[in-house]
Amino acid sequence: MTGECDPDLRRVFSPVVLNGGLALLLVALVAISVLWGEKALDLPAAVGDWLAGRPSVGAIILGQLRLPRTALAVMVGGTLGLCGAVLQGYLRNPLADPGLLGVSGGAALGAVCVFYTALFQFSALLLPLGGLLGAVVSALVLMVLVGGGGPLVLLLAGAALSSFMAALTALVLDLVPSPYAMFEIAHWLMGSLTDRTPADVLLALPGVVAGCALLVGCGPALDGLSMGEDVAASLGFRLGGLGGVQMRVVLGVAISVGSCVAVAGAIGFVGLVVPHLLRPLAGHRPSRLLWPSFLGGAVLLLLADLVVRLLSGHAELNLGVVTALIGAPVFFHRVMLFRKRNMI
């Protein structure tokens, strides 16, 4: 399922070329995302007013609407892509994605509880804070369940925790007394970047930076693990215990994905599909796939958000729905390609 690539093509797409190409595409999409909207924006004047603190219309549109939305698309998409690549490398499972460990479900449950108790009426920041708290609790429970177990135990514990969090979320939905509150919860669970503010960006940024730093640092260990746990241990990589690779992977995914889900809701398929698309171009060393997956995830989510904005009518589509509509056919194609190659 990882796909193959012509050796000549793989030599062309060196890490510098691949990362550089994705970075240029990302910069272009960021510019389009900032400039594109119902109201034309004089960017130099808007940037000048925003930096100077002048409350002009252009500065408000730029600083309060378009920049936070674009920044969150890059942060959330990049984080999901990176987490997917790390989990697929660590678990040696091409079906692994950030939702596998139950952290996304915990963040969703925390936010749903804030909706259910109506705490979000006191402050808009209580919603992402509730999601972040749910992610942290889920990560702690996961670490207790795994204990000293290896990747298989982590996989099973994550699947069990994810199912349990989904069941609790469904229970809360059943107990919601107001149909309007249920609609708001369902809307949030499908993921969106609409009406996000700089406060949301600042809330998610520390967790995203810390989590991604932990995950990127696992690259050499993932290369060793691709040859087996015994080989990785003989190369000097500590796999279990405090400070081991497994703990860094769990903490990195929990902190970064929890921060993203807390501000953007549940957005699927990015972490699953992006590593599959880029692995044939980056090669099959897990460490070489990390930065391309971050950049590719950011590109995919920005594209999906632009599609959302393009198709918006009276009601804006949910971003999670669009990523599923984009990602599922791509993944189906990869599955059919793998099946065809196995049959030859």
Side-chain angles (χ1 to χ4, degrees):
M1 194 172 296
T2 56
E4 295 295 333
C5 183
D6 186 87
D8 295 330
L9 182 63
R10 192 176 296 166
R11 283 197 295 268
V12 170
F13 286 98
S14 66
V16 174
V17 173
L18 181 58
N19 291 334
L22 288 171
L24 288 175
L25 179 57
L26 180 60
V27 170
L29 289 173
V30 166
I32 294 173
S33 179
V34 171
L35 291 172
W36 187 13
E38 294 182 4
K39 181 175 177 60
L41 195 65
D42 183 354
L43 189 60
V47 170
D49 291 341
W50 179 58
L51 293 176
R54 291 189 289 268
S56 65
V57 173
I60 293 173
I61 292 175
L62 178 67
Q64 298 296 321
L65 297 176
R66 296 188 188 175
L67 280 180
R69 183 168 187 158
T70 302
L72 282 176
V74 173
M75 288 166 52
V76 174
T79 297
L80 294 176
L82 174 62
C83 289
V86 170
L87 286 174
Q88 289 177 19
Y90 177 70
L91 298 173
R92 283 160 283 173
N93 183 345
L95 295 177
D97 83 319
L100 189 65
L101 300 185
V103 177
S104 299
L109 176 62
V112 166
C113 289
V114 173
F115 270 117
Y116 178 72
T117 56
L119 290 174
F120 68 96
Q121 296 179 355
F122 296 99
S123 173
L125 285 178
L126 288 177
L127 179 61
L129 284 173
L132 192 55
L133 179 61
V136 171
V137 172
S138 298
L140 293 176
V141 172
L142 181 65
M143 292 171 64
V144 170
L145 289 174
V146 174
L152 179 58
V153 177
L154 176 64
L155 186 65
L156 294 174
L161 183 61
S162 181
S163 298
F164 183 63
M165 291 299 173
L168 289 179
T169 302
L171 176 62
V172 174
L173 286 172
D174 282 339
L175 297 176
V176 171
S178 169
Y180 300 104
M182 183 176 291
F183 172 78
E184 289 293 332
I185 292 173
H187 178 76
W188 186 88
L189 286 174
M190 289 187 286
S192 177
L193 296 176
T194 306
D195 299 329
R196 298 308 188 262
T197 66
D200 293 307
V201 177
L202 294 176
L203 182 65
L205 185 60
V208 167
V209 172
C212 289
L214 280 172
L215 295 176
V216 170
C218 294
L222 296 179
D223 290 341
L225 277 169
S226 65
M227 297 179 285
E229 293 185 24
D230 293 337
V231 174
S234 68
L235 292 174
F237 296 112
R238 186 178 179 183
L239 303 182
L242 188 64
V245 177
Q246 180 167 277
M247 178 169 285
R248 283 184 283 156
V249 169
V250 171
L251 286 178
V253 171
I255 295 170
S256 57
V257 173
S259 299
C260 292
V261 174
V263 297
I267 298 174
F269 276 98
V270 177
L272 182 65
V273 170
V274 169
H276 277 282
L277 293 177
L278 295 176
R279 188 174 285 111
L281 304 178
H284 295 277
R285 285 179 56 187
S287 63
R288 291 187 60 182
L289 187 61
L290 301 187
W291 281 113
S293 293
F294 182 91
L295 295 169
V299 166
L300 177 59
L301 204 62
L302 266 176
L303 279 172
D305 189 50
L306 289 172
V307 170
V308 166
R309 292 159 67 178
L310 177 65
L311 299 179
S312 294
H314 296 292
E316 189 170 285
L317 294 174
N318 286 97
L319 187 58
V321 175
V322 176
T323 58
L325 290 174
I326 294 174
V330 173
F331 193 62
F332 288 155
H333 175 263
R334 302 295 296 174
V335 171
M336 296 303 295
L337 183 63
F338 177 70
R339 174 180 159 188
K340 180 180 178 181
R341 286 177 175 172
N342 274 1
M343 292 172 63
I344 294 176

